[in-house]
Amino acid sequence: MATLLKTLDAPDAASQELERWIEATQNKSLLRFITCGSVDDGKSTLIGRLLYDSKLLFEDQLSALASDSKKQGTQGEELDFALLVDGLSAEREQGITIDVAYRFFATDKRKFIVADTPGHEQYTRNMVTGASTADAAVILIDARKGILTQTRRHSFLAQLIGIRHLVLAVNKMDLVGYGQSTFDRIVAQYGEFARQAGIDEFTAIPVSGLNGDNITSRSPAMPWYGGPGLLEHLENLPVGGAGSAEPFRMAVQWVSRPSHNFRGYAGRIASGRVGVGDAIKILPAGRKTFVERIVTSDGDLDHAVAGQSITVTLTDEIDCSRGDVIVAADNQTEPVSRITASLVWMSDEKLVPHRSYWLKVGTQTVSASVDLVDSIVDVNTLAARAGEPLCLNDIGQVEIDLDRPVPAVRYRENRKLGGFILIDKMSHATVAAGLIKDLPANAVRQPSGVSAFDDIVWVTGPGRTTWAAAAVARLKAQGRQPVLIDDAAVAVFPGDDPVRTAREVALLVTSAGVPALITVQALPGETHPGRVIDSSKSEDGGDEWVI
Amino acid sequence: MNAPVGFKTRSLNHLEQLEAESIEIFREVVAETERPVMLYSIGKDSAVMLHLAKKAFFPAPLPFPLLHVDTSWKFQDMYALRDKVAAEPGIELLVYRNPEAERLGINPFDHGPLHTDMWKTEGLKQALDKYGFDAAFGGARRDEEKSRAKERVFSFRDRNHRWEPKSQRPELWSLYNAKKGPKESIRVFPLSNWTELDIWQYIYGEGIEIVPLYLSAPRPTVERDGVLLMVDDERFPLEAGEAPVERSVRFRTLGCYPLTGAIESEATTLAAVIQEMLVATTSERQGRVIDKDGGAASMEKKKQEGYF
Ligand SMILES: Nc1nc2c(ncn2[C@@H]2O[C@H](COP(=O)(O)OP(=O)(O)O)[C@@H](O)[C@H]2O)c(=O)[nH]1
């Protein structure tokens, strides 16, 4: 853009220059980063400054900023950069959940997407969400306050979520006289913590967001600092490419069958590269074949790399559907139905162990239950505590059972396929984010198909009402709260087929981990989820099926 | 994007990444919902969205229809492009007009905000209900305004199409949760992470056809309350003494022609449009210097010359 502007006096040259500029900036790279800081550390001012100083701003945005600054700004006649990123406070007052706001700016070299996570109440949830796609984290420190508990918390979460580049922005340097000793002391202190926390690398930069020191250019106020400004550093961090060196993996999103003679498998490459003729394997089944074509609407490709969305065809007609993962033929991944994971709880409702949740990993959704909560990390003290339920913003080390084997990948090996979400089967809310830690040996279980159905019991026979009442009492004595679905209960839905109603209600409650006893008379031979107990025969069969 | 054939390892540029991400979103929605639809408003964002959707499912045709919620007051050029798109093989385009608004003759000249409310808002709900769509792709972007910055890619609506702020879900990695109850629906925004500049660059790079109104041309206009309106058809009620004047104008956004202001411009090419819209901060800083040199007047002059 800078070169572009020089030529404005000569219109023809200008249009050529413009086209060259457009071509050149087609080839920008993309960096996603997250900013971490507490209220008043200067996060809004810093982001606003970055947007303003580097974004190719549109005319109307600029005039809006100027008039907002006059009306609401805190900086007198100066532009108040914080106003460029505001727009969250109103929602906060209305009690609307805000997790992450995304901002965009670009330089000639790179496009940036900033995940800005407001507030501290929901900090863990928000930061993990914003960080899940970030390449870098900018951790803000108020130079007057130094390293605080929250600095450690931000760093811990950034590391947990696998962010490769940590940037420590020591802000408000103007308030400590731009002094080197303050900066050095903070860096040394952080270095000490980083070593303990297992953080290998970080870059510290002294800045003043308010005055623009060491943001887009090096500050003359701090000649003792020889490193790059914040923007220069962010412009030069390595991105992408790394995934290309890993083994090839692609989860199948969609099977394309426009005609009899075309069958393509569409997906986005999670890691590595794939070429025509490559030997591949389809997981979890393990069948092997070769890549025939890599089809895109811009023509077939010879190769494709991590990050690309492609469609492949295979040389053999073999079974492959959504949820399967295509990997290089020599990939040793064994499908597992049990994983250990770090689980970040994101819902107001606590985790219910053994309840059946949906677990989405890659493009596969399976039934899963959290079997064991080993320990919970206290994000404030970074100490582990045990024996408590997992609540909003807790991070627990857990073991999870899946209802069928999936080709799981450890999160540290691949963020795209090693991360998962848990979904509540009733409310459909996303209740947790998980990072696969390990795949315990012998963890393959055959698909049970109907794991949630074990809790549904149809009681038949003449004494069914009495029998069911006794069973309910027994379950209650064991601390469970069963739901009894009898004729009176289904009568609440007049006009509906009572057996169907009973079945639907039972499925609903058991998906929430609540056992269901049904005494509605069903025809023999009708197939229903759950089991049938004949009360006239097994008087005390109850104990046997109570889980 | 035309990826070079036979490359070894390389990383994708920002437009290639945005493209791949949007394609991934399209495919997830098609795989996980029953009856998706694309809201097609004929503007530049819709043009990009359609282009991306075609890429996502190539060589198969689009696995969902396009829906144009019409108001009967769009520019003629927009209807022309819409009909051209509808005639493409493999494209199914549905046009819905709120019958109530049609019956009452609701129009922007006489009915103010009711026009948008009945034709667009109500029209959209009616159309979604009529066809039973459970997911609708929209072209909104997070950079459009500050308050959109925190919008999700998947935005959930209850059975009455109400947005339930409490039930919006955190979005991690590229794992979208598309589970929903009966009659609930999702609005999906595959262009969430695109900026206006990205859109223009992509249109430029991919040669995507857009409505010619985005480029300057001599057009019949009248000025009302400082807004330049185009007299696009005979329904435009000219006031006494008002006569259309031919001006070289273009449009930054497109909607109903009586509600869409034109800007005077000489930008007859895509490249020139991009140039006119951008204010690099380098220019802003230079601008200040120029300001000091020649005062506010020189700044104003630069502006008129298309500096901004
Ligand atoms: N002196 C000084 N003040 C700053 C700096 N950055 C931010 N501030 C001030 O600190 C206060 C909080 O800043 P803001 O950006 O709103 O913080 P946020 O809550 O982290 O977003 C405001 O009064 C800012 O003007 C800085 O670098 N130097």
Side-chain angles (χ1 to χ4, degrees), chain A residues 342-360:
Chain A
S342 300
L343 202 60
V344 183
W345 201 255
M346 299 194 158
S347 167
D348 288 326
E349 271 184 52
K350 289 187 270 203
L351 163 79
V352 181
H354 304 293
R355 177 192 284 192
S356 173
Y357 293 93
W358 295 119
L359 182 149
K360 184 170 183 186

Side-chain angles (χ1 to χ4, degrees), chain A residues 388-500:
Chain A
E388 285 170 56
L390 210 52
C391 301
L392 179 63
N393 293 316
D394 277 341
I395 299 173
Q397 305 305 322
V398 302
E399 287 183 35
I400 298 181
D401 260 333
L402 313 175
D403 74 344
R404 76 194 88 146
V406 300
V409 180
R410 291 177 187 87
Y411 186 75
R412 73 179 128 82
E413 287 169 42
N414 189 274
R415 280 169 92 180
K416 192 167 167 64
L417 295 179
F420 63 87
I421 53 173
L422 284 189
I423 300 167
D424 187 288
K425 285 191 173 179
M426 277 213 294
S427 69
H428 301 132
T430 301
V431 291
L435 318 167
I436 299 177
K437 262 172 79 178
D438 228 329
L439 319 166
N442 302 325
V444 184
R445 208 176 60 174
Q446 281 321 299
S448 64
V450 287
S451 64
F453 300 163
D454 293 352
D455 270 359
I456 302 179
V457 174
W458 296 76
V459 192
T460 66
R464 61 183 193 277
T465 317
T466 326
W467 191 94
V472 167
R474 260 199 308 271
L475 281 166
K476 282 193 174 160
Q478 292 169 8
R480 302 199 74 187
Q481 286 292 337
V483 167
L484 178 65
I485 304 168
D486 54 13
D487 292 328
V490 295
V492 175
F493 307 90
D496 284 359
D497 168 18
V499 174
R500 234 195 74 206

Side-chain angles (χ1 to χ4, degrees), chain A residues 38-45 75 171-172 174-175 208-210:
Chain A
S38 284
V39 176
D40 282 348
D41 281 354
K43 196 150 57 91
S44 310
T45 306
Q75 303 301 323
N171 192 30
K172 304 197 183 181
D174 55 307
L175 295 181
S208 165
L210 192 66

Side-chain angles (χ1 to χ4, degrees), chain B:
Chain B
M1 303 266 90
N2 291 312
V5 170
F7 54 90
K8 289 277 183 271
T9 53
R10 62 181 199 100
S11 40
L12 310 181
N13 71 37
H14 76 294
L15 290 176
E16 288 171 322
Q17 271 195 62
L18 291 173
E19 177 188 79
E21 251 174 59
S22 300
I23 289 175
E24 184 177 28
I25 292 166
F26 275 115
R27 290 168 172 174
E28 278 304 287
V29 173
V30 164
E32 296 223 341
T33 64
E34 272 158 33
R35 204 156 153 62
V37 66
M38 179 188 291
L39 305 178
Y40 178 71
S41 66
I42 330 176
K44 63 184 194 311
D45 299 312
S46 283
V48 167
M49 202 163 51
L50 176 59
H51 187 79
L52 290 164
K54 287 180 190 166
K55 286 195 173 198
F57 302 103
F58 179 89
L62 282 193
F64 44 76
L66 311 186
L67 172 65
H68 179 222
V69 179
D70 192 15
T71 65
S72 76
W73 287 94
K74 304 290 175 191
F75 290 89
Q76 290 171 46
D77 276 356
M78 294 173 73
Y79 290 118
L81 180 63
R82 182 194 72 183
D83 294 344
K84 192 173 166 195
V85 164
E88 284 177 33
I91 298 273
E92 184 197 351
L93 184 127
L94 306 168
V95 175
Y96 186 85
R97 292 182 179 190
N98 179 352
E100 185 75 355
E102 201 146 34
R103 191 175 63 78
L104 296 172
I106 300 295
N107 69 74
F109 293 109
D110 302 323
H111 299 104
L114 195 61
H115 171 76
T116 304
D117 191 51
M118 285 194 71
W119 282 112
K120 288 176 77 178
T121 316
E122 279 308 309
L124 174 62
K125 288 185 201 167
Q126 289 172 2
L128 295 178
D129 287 343
K130 175 179 172 188
Y131 295 103
F133 293 123
D134 65 341
F137 295 105
R141 290 176 281 109
R142 284 173 174 150
D143 83 322
E144 281 175 70
E145 49 171 315
K146 284 186 288 189
S147 62
R148 274 204 57 84
K150 77 291 166 206
E151 281 287 337
R152 312 293 203 284
V153 176
F154 281 43
S155 180
F156 287 82
R157 301 297 140 100
D158 68 12
R159 50 180 68 215
N160 300 314
H161 301 282
R162 264 196 309 258
W163 183 67
E164 257 304 326
K166 295 247 156 55
S167 64
Q168 303 302 311
R169 304 160 183 180
E171 292 175 343
L172 295 114
W173 301 287
S174 45
L175 289 175
Y176 298 103
N177 168 4
K179 297 265 184 210
K180 55 186 164 32
K183 298 245 167 69
E184 289 172 2
S185 60
I186 322 179
R187 307 282 183 277
V188 182
F189 305 109
L191 303 181
S192 286
N193 288 329
W194 295 62
T195 60
E196 186 164 9
L197 181 59
D198 296 329
I199 295 286
W200 283 115
Q201 284 197 321
Y202 192 70
I203 288 171
Y204 181 93
E206 296 277 304
I208 298 169
E209 181 168 11
I210 51 170
V211 181
L213 295 163
Y214 285 113
L215 304 180
S216 273
R219 298 188 168 103
T221 56
V222 295
E223 189 176 341
R224 282 192 185 167
D225 305 327
V227 181
L228 282 180
L229 295 175
M230 179 172 164
V231 183
D232 196 45
D233 62 34
E234 69 296 339
R235 289 179 296 175
F236 195 105
L238 291 171
E239 281 157 20
E242 213 175 34
V245 177
E246 195 158 271
R247 293 182 173 92
S248 176
V249 294
R250 64 177 173 86
F251 295 84
R252 279 192 62 181
T253 56
L254 293 177
C256 295
Y257 82 79
L259 297 175
T260 310
I263 51 173
E264 283 195 88
S265 160
E266 297 302 330
T268 54
T269 64
L270 213 48
V273 168
I274 297 176
Q275 179 190 17
E276 275 195 4
M277 285 191 315
L278 281 176
V279 182
T281 37
T282 41
S283 79
E284 174 58 18
R285 267 193 237 108
Q286 284 172 353
R288 283 195 211 120
V289 176
I290 298 166
D291 248 2
K292 277 184 204 132
D293 289 353
S298 97
M299 198 60 193
E300 205 42 50
K301 186 160 168 284
K302 282 277 167 198
K303 249 184 175 169
Q304 280 161 7
E305 289 166 1
Y307 187 87
F308 282 97

Side-chain angles (χ1 to χ4, degrees), chain A residues 273-286:
Chain A
R273 60 195 284 277
V274 65
V276 171
D278 282 3
I280 55 100
K281 180 160 77 176
I282 292 157
L283 295 174

